[in-house]
Amino acid sequence: MGKSLKVAVLLPIESTFDYSIPNDNELLNDIIGKRVIVPFNSRYVTGVVLEINERSSVADLKPIIEILDELPIFDSDMLNLAKWISKYYICSIGEVLRAAMPPNFNLNSIKEIEIIRQPTRDEIIEIQRKAPKRNKLLQLLIRTGGKISIKSIEKELDLRNISPQLEALSQKGFIQIHEAIETQIETKILALSINPEFVNDEKKLMSYLDKYEKRFPKRTQLISFLITQKQNGREFIPQNEVVNSFKIASSTIQSMIEEGVVLQYKINKPISTKPRTNLAGNETYHKLTEEQDKVFCDIMQFLEKGGFSSHLIFGVTGSGKTLVYTKLINEVINRGKNVLYLLPEISLTPQLVDRVQSFFQQKVAVLHSQLSDNERNQIFQKIQKGEYQICMGVRSGVFAPLTNLGLIIVDEEHDQSYKQESPAPRYNARDTAIVRANILGIPIVLGSGTPSLESWNNAKLGLYNFHTILNRADGAVLPKITIVDMATERKEKRLKKYFSEYLLEKVVERVHRKEGVILFHNRRGYSPQLYCPDCGDVPMCRNCDVSLTYHKHSNKLVCHYCGFVSESPKICNVCGSDEIKQLGYGTERLEEDLAEVLKEYGVEPIIKRFDRDTTSRVNAYRNLIHRFIEGDIDILVGTQMLSKGINIERVSLVGIVDADMHLFFPDFRANERAFQLFTQTAGRAGRKSEFPGEVIIQTSNPKHTVIQHIQNYSIQKFYEDELAMRRQFKYPPIARFTKLQFNAEDLDSAMRGAEEFYKLLPKNKSGFIISKPVVPNIARIRNYYRIQLFIKSSKKLDRSGNLLQQLLKDAIASFQNNDISKKVRVIIDIDSYSNM
């Protein structure tokens, strides 16, 4: 047997597959890590070459169809990382590789449609009468010559599944359907360029300008513009930019194209370069404080020595961790190396992105969720080509194809958005980044003002080098923490809506002084529930077992789990009563009620809401922050988005309106999350010595351990107490916490599947605690019922997780032989962050 290629197809299939290699041996050069098109069952799919088998064990292998890349998109280190993720998180390597590349890099098999014959007039009438949608489909295919994607047809005709319609047209002999490979999609736009032949003929050029200068001045203006742009190195100008700039008719442009003056091209849509308001000041010449400099020098010793090392920087909010990062980055790139910088959510940290970009200018690539697929592809390819030395990215940025890496930074390492929950691979980007640094043999720096309990424990055990910055920069001090007992306020009738007198007095004081105020309430919308007091009905989501949230601005009811939207009812859908009430409050109602209450105090400040609903548009977040910095907004009312990345000097007051909603979740991480969230939000106040800060926490449980530790700034004592609890009940970081979820279209099947799987798990295995299947608080999401069971496995007895992985793989293999497995989807979440 000759050589063959081992290929991972980008599908949730655990196995890899062997394919025969092309006859041309030159094509085998650097083929490992390249994408290939391969036949798979009855279609063609994308795969990635993992290795070359020197001897094939199977005769008559199917050949690869096409090699898609000039150069590998995955080097050996990235393939090793993908294999580790696949093994540790129990998913296919194809799923990992798919997650590691931009969306349009995964090519699929699609149907290509050929028009065989035109329908007669009588046939059109008959189809229109019997199947009007089919007639619309046929007319669209004839109009486009069949050169239209399935997605485009579904969108244009508002049809969800056109396969039966296509099959019917095929049987009638109007069309023929072929399998074809979908080419990589790039968003194309029309662009204009001056015809070089026209420009080089000076006589012709002057004659044209003389002819149209007075009659059609826009033509001559456009010609001058295109010539100038080409001389400045910008050859192709998007046609929509020309139309908008010169207010010139498309027909005029078409005429100039026909005359041969202007050439028209289709080009890839360029990355947006619209100017943005910079939210960062000039920090280039800032000097490190004594504490910052010590941390910098300590880490530099490891950088100079080389090799893998892991570091945790615990720096209180406002201590200047970012400045330490930038100094480290500068040292690394001056040594000719590159840097990967991970953030929880870049769209929520534009100030931080601006700060890093102001230091390093054009050397920074930014990968985030608001990029279009086309922009993501272009940045990915530029990183591959070595056009950037620094890549700032969110969770998926851990896969950025930076070569010659010298340092990885994971900022706000505690943030749970680093954990991928769905779809697979369900990886933790922080932990994956540590493995990537280990594979590469380079240092990694984790930083946080409220480290995760896992990282804190690793530092205390000596697994991480521990660095501290315990003082704020620029002489600022940590804010005063004031606790307001809402039970007493309520009893003595001092509340106005949801606000204590003390909080309102402090807000009015700051408004008069033109200082910034942040009010935190982690629930968006106007009201979490509507209900009918006459019959007790609460409008529920039709897809999930949750009540719909009322949004007053849009007068809609919205499910925050699946996105279902319906009109807000004026009368009860059950009994017809018009006495519908609102239960609870979200940020939308808080904003409205705060303005009303403050009027009684004689002030009418500018109040803006700061949540997913108000910042979903591109740059809306940035614009709100800029207005707040400039003092055009007095008060921001918002969700946990306010706790991330906001560094505004004029903020001197932070109010946590309802701390209790975070303190009693049925989740072993509830205390840790509440402590981190409150501490991070509180850290927005008093970041400049000229604006001393105060944080007011409203709670009916002032003696709660989280509240007490926050008030006393006793972070070490909080972590010690929390670790003792985790140790007692065998929770992370002492043990691994794995969630198994069983999804099915009906509750009985989901429960039966979970129970059958539970029987396959060992009950008395040393170091393992396995719970029985339970129905979660929300049993149904997106029309699927869910049953869960949990496994706690000792890290001491199973440090690498190999025993857990083998236990689960054996159970999965046996479960697949059970008939119920056909009705149930099993989801495995290693190191789960959720037991809900």
Side-chain angles (χ1 to χ4, degrees):
M1 300 287 181
K3 293 181 180 180
S4 63
L5 299 178
K6 180 177 286 188
V7 175
V9 295
L10 305 186
L11 296 169
I13 297 172
E14 186 174 348
S15 303
T16 56
F17 301 89
D18 290 350
Y19 290 89
S20 63
I21 59 178
N23 294 327
D24 189 347
N25 284 327
E26 287 188 17
L27 294 178
L28 289 179
N29 292 337
D30 296 323
I31 197 170
I32 295 174
K34 288 182 179 179
R35 291 173 304 149
V36 291
I37 296 293
V38 294
F40 190 78
N41 293 331
S42 60
R43 55 182 174 148
Y44 300 110
V45 297
T46 310
V48 174
V49 179
L50 299 181
E51 57 187 74
I52 299 174
N53 300 315
E54 290 300 322
R55 292 183 61 81
S56 174
S57 58
V58 181
D60 299 323
L61 289 174
K62 292 181 180 179
I64 62 170
I65 303 300
E66 185 178 351
I67 300 172
L68 295 173
D69 303 304
E70 289 293 324
L71 297 171
I73 62 171
F74 297 112
D75 60 20
S76 60
D77 293 326
M78 189 59 75
L79 289 176
N80 286 335
L81 180 66
K83 290 172 185 175
W84 176 84
I85 295 171
S86 171
K87 180 174 183 291
Y88 185 82
Y89 292 104
I90 309 181
C91 60
S92 76
I93 192 168
E95 289 174 299
V96 180
L97 295 173
R98 183 178 61 192
M101 62 177 71
N104 289 347
F105 274 51
N106 182 13
L107 313 187
N108 297 306
S109 172
I110 66 165
K111 288 174 179 174
E112 185 174 85
I113 301 160
E114 179 186 358
I115 307 297
I116 302 299
R117 71 175 178 88
Q118 299 279 347
T120 65
R121 183 173 179 276
D122 290 340
E123 285 174 326
I124 291 174
I125 293 172
E126 183 185 6
I127 297 172
Q128 174 61 33
R129 182 171 58 83
K130 291 183 177 179
K133 287 186 177 179
R134 193 173 305 158
N135 182 60
K136 284 185 180 180
L137 172 58
L138 180 57
Q139 297 305 317
L140 177 61
L141 293 174
I142 292 170
R143 192 167 69 247
T144 60
K147 304 300 183 184
I148 183 170
S149 70
I150 303 296
K151 287 182 181 178
S152 298
I153 295 171
E154 291 175 341
K155 184 177 180 181
E156 184 153 341
L157 299 183
D158 195 25
L159 294 173
R160 291 293 166 264
N161 182 7
I162 65 168
S163 294
Q165 306 283 11
L166 288 173
E167 195 62 35
L169 292 174
S170 176
Q171 289 175 4
K172 288 286 186 181
F174 296 123
I175 64 172
Q176 190 171 349
I177 303 167
H178 306 283
E179 288 291 323
I181 299 167
E182 180 182 28
T183 55
Q184 185 170 318
I185 301 166
E186 290 285 3
T187 305
K188 300 285 186 179
I189 62 169
L190 294 176
L192 303 176
S193 180
I194 194 72
N195 187 338
E197 294 180 7
F198 178 77
V199 176
N200 294 336
D201 190 335
E202 189 174 343
K203 185 177 179 182
K204 191 174 180 180
L205 172 62
M206 296 309 297
S207 172
Y208 189 90
L209 294 175
D210 291 341
K211 178 181 177 182
Y212 288 111
E213 189 168 12
K214 292 182 180 178
R215 291 173 56 207
F216 303 110
K218 287 184 179 178
R219 288 192 177 212
T220 57
Q221 290 170 14
L222 175 56
I223 288 172
S224 299
F225 172 75
L226 292 175
I227 291 172
T228 303
Q229 291 295 307
K230 187 168 185 176
Q231 289 171 344
N232 291 332
R234 191 171 177 227
E235 185 170 359
F236 304 108
I237 313 300
Q239 186 166 315
N240 61 352
E241 179 184 327
V242 170
V243 171
N244 293 334
S245 299
F246 291 92
K247 307 300 180 191
I248 191 169
S250 297
S251 58
T252 302
I253 294 175
Q254 188 59 38
S255 175
M256 296 176 74
I257 293 169
E258 291 171 0
E259 291 171 340
V261 177
V262 172
L263 301 178
Q264 187 183 60
Y265 298 88
K266 279 190 176 181
I267 65 169
N268 290 337
K269 184 179 178 181
I271 296 173
S272 174
T273 56
K274 288 183 179 179
R276 304 177 310 176
T277 304
N278 192 306
L279 301 178
N282 185 1
E283 301 175 284
T284 309
Y285 301 105
H286 279 201
K287 289 186 177 180
L288 298 176
T289 65
E290 187 175 334
E291 279 186 303
Q292 291 168 348
D293 189 57
K294 183 178 187 309
V295 172
F296 169 74
C297 291
D298 288 347
I299 296 174
M300 275 304 301
Q301 291 180 19
F302 289 89
L303 272 169
E304 289 168 352
K305 185 168 65 174
F308 171 73
S309 59
S310 51
H311 305 263
L312 174 64
I313 301 178
F314 163 53
V316 298
T317 54
S319 61
K321 294 183 292 294
T322 305
L323 196 59
V324 176
Y325 300 154
T326 54
K327 298 294 186 184
L328 288 169
I329 292 170
N330 194 54
E331 291 294 330
V332 171
I333 64 175
N334 283 343
R335 287 167 162 77
K337 299 278 189 176
N338 298 326
V339 177
L340 176 60
Y341 189 149
L342 297 183
L343 297 162
E345 295 177 72
I346 283 180
S347 61
L348 303 187
T349 51
Q351 272 189 302
L352 183 53
V353 173
D354 287 357
R355 289 171 72 186
V356 174
Q357 288 185 319
S358 68
F359 273 102
F360 301 106
Q361 303 303 319
Q362 303 303 316
K363 299 174 183 177
V364 185
V366 181
L367 293 169
H368 57 85
S369 59
Q370 291 185 345
L371 292 173
S372 68
D373 288 351
N374 183 60
E375 289 173 325
R376 197 181 302 273
N377 287 349
Q378 290 188 49
I379 293 175
F380 186 91
Q381 289 167 343
K382 286 184 177 181
I383 294 172
Q384 276 187 307
K385 294 174 183 175
E387 295 184 25
Y388 295 109
Q389 290 181 274
I390 304 160
C391 178
M392 299 185 75
V394 292
R395 179 174 61 225
S396 61
V398 74
F399 300 115
L402 278 169
T403 57
N404 196 28
L405 268 178
L407 175 67
I408 298 176
I409 296 169
V410 184
D411 198 14
E412 304 300 351
E413 62 82 29
H414 69 277
D415 199 290
Q416 73 179 79
S417 64
Y418 280 123
K419 181 68 167 72
Q420 168 91 350
E421 291 194 346
S422 184
R426 293 174 175 82
Y427 65 99
N428 187 310
R430 176 199 63 210
D431 300 342
T432 302
I434 293 169
V435 174
R436 184 174 183 184
N438 199 355
I439 289 171
L440 295 171
I442 62 172
I444 182 168
V445 175
L446 315 178
S448 176
T450 53
S452 63
L453 213 60
E454 286 85 351
S455 293
W456 182 276
N457 190 53
N458 284 337
K460 291 301 180 182
L461 292 174
L463 301 176
Y464 296 167
N465 296 283
F466 193 37
H467 313 273
T468 59
I469 310 176
L470 302 180
N471 295 288
R472 283 188 155 181
D474 302 322
V477 296
L478 290 167
K480 170 190 173 185
I481 308 287
T482 301
I483 309 299
V484 176
D485 185 346
M486 295 296 276
T488 302
E489 295 286 305
R490 200 174 293 110
K491 184 178 179 181
E492 297 180 0
K493 299 182 178 179
R494 291 201 295 262
L495 286 181
K496 292 186 182 293
K497 301 285 187 182
Y498 337 101
F499 311 104
S500 62
E501 283 187 349
Y502 184 80
L503 175 60
L504 289 169
E505 288 168 2
K506 293 299 180 181
V507 168
V508 171
E509 183 182 296
R510 271 23 181 235
V511 170
H512 284 313
R513 297 205 307 239
K514 293 298 292 180
E515 294 175 8
V517 176
I518 287 175
L519 294 186
F520 167 77
H521 181 62
N522 204 26
R523 178 175 283 150
R524 61 191 174 102
Y526 191 84
S527 176
Q529 288 181 340
L530 295 185
Y531 86 108
C532 174
D534 291 343
C535 71
D537 180 65
V538 174
M540 302 290 288
C541 176
R542 70 182 183 188
N543 305 317
C544 311
D545 289 341
V546 294
S547 59
L548 294 169
T549 300
Y550 174 53
H551 290 249
K552 185 177 181 181
H553 177 73
S554 60
N555 197 35
K556 303 284 187 186
L557 294 176
V558 180
C559 176
H560 291 168
Y561 283 85
C562 73
F564 171 74
V565 178
S566 71
E567 294 293 328
S568 177
K570 294 180 181 178
I571 61 172
C572 176
N573 293 325
V574 175
C575 71
S577 170
D578 60 359
E579 293 294 323
I580 295 177
K581 303 293 184 184
Q582 294 144 9
L583 279 177
Y585 62 96
T587 50
E588 190 178 1
R589 188 170 187 174
L590 198 68
E591 176 191 16
E592 181 182 291
D593 288 348
L594 179 63
E596 182 183 314
V597 169
L598 289 178
K599 275 186 182 179
E600 299 175 18
Y601 283 77
V603 293
E604 296 186 42
I606 304 299
I607 306 171
K608 290 295 179 182
R609 192 156 38 98
F610 198 79
D611 55 28
R612 294 287 181 192
D613 299 322
T614 60
T615 61
S616 57
R617 298 187 312 277
V618 175
N619 286 331
Y621 183 106
R622 180 178 289 276
N623 295 335
L624 276 171
I625 290 294
H626 178 67
R627 290 181 61 196
F628 194 41
I629 291 172
E630 296 297 312
D632 296 337
I633 296 172
D634 298 299
I635 303 170
L636 282 182
V637 174
T639 58
Q640 64 178 344
M641 293 171 64
L642 286 169
S643 69
K644 299 180 183 183
I646 296 178
N647 181 19
I648 299 172
E649 295 176 355
R650 61 183 288 266
V651 174
S652 62
L653 179 66
V654 167
I656 296 174
V657 179
D658 182 8
D660 297 332
M661 65 181 290
H662 297 276
L663 297 177
F664 300 103
F665 272 99
D667 184 340
F668 70 87
R669 284 194 173 92
N671 282 356
E672 180 186 5
R673 284 178 177 152
F675 183 86
Q676 290 167 340
L677 185 57
F678 295 163
T679 302
Q680 290 288 341
T681 306
R684 304 310 109 195
R687 296 173 78 96
K688 196 73 175 175
S689 56
E690 293 94 307
F691 301 101
E694 182 174 6
V695 178
I696 299 170
I697 301 177
Q698 297 188 156
T699 174
S700 297
N701 298 274
K703 299 300 182 184
H704 193 284
T705 180
V706 169
I707 302 298
Q708 289 295 300
H709 284 309
I710 288 174
Q711 185 176 30
N712 299 325
Y713 285 106
S714 52
I715 187 167
Q716 184 157 336
K717 184 67 168 63
F718 170 77
Y719 280 112
E720 288 172 359
D721 291 350
E722 195 66 14
L723 273 170
M725 185 277 290
R726 303 279 183 92
R727 196 172 287 110
Q728 179 182 355
F729 294 104
K730 305 294 189 295
Y731 278 115
I734 309 306
R736 277 186 188 83
F737 183 73
T738 300
K739 178 172 74 174
L740 301 181
Q741 183 166 297
F742 302 83
N743 289 4
E745 293 181 353
D746 62 275
L747 186 61
D748 288 344
S749 293
M751 178 57 83
R752 190 176 148 218
E755 288 173 343
E756 290 298 322
F757 198 98
Y758 176 72
K759 292 176 185 176
L760 300 171
L761 297 172
K763 305 302 180 290
N764 299 307
K765 190 174 180 63
S766 178
F768 285 80
I769 301 172
I770 302 173
S771 74
K772 290 184 177 180
V774 294
V775 181
N777 290 337
I778 303 173
R780 182 176 60 108
I781 292 181
R782 295 184 180 91
N783 280 322
Y784 278 93
Y785 288 90
R786 312 181 306 149
I787 301 296
Q788 297 172 344
L789 67 82
F790 304 97
I791 300 175
K792 292 186 283 188
S793 52
S794 168
K795 288 186 178 179
K796 184 177 181 181
L797 297 178
D798 186 19
R799 185 174 178 183
S800 65
N802 287 339
L803 294 178
L804 173 65
Q805 292 153 18
Q806 193 58 53
L807 177 149
L808 289 171
K809 285 181 178 180
D810 290 345
I812 291 167
S814 298
F815 182 71
Q816 287 171 347
N817 295 324
N818 193 313
D819 288 341
I820 192 63
S821 67
K822 295 170 185 171
K823 293 184 178 181
V824 178
R825 182 185 176 206
V826 182
I827 296 172
I828 300 174
D829 188 5
I830 307 289
D831 296 336
S832 178
Y833 266 50
S834 170
N835 63 355
M836 302 295 285

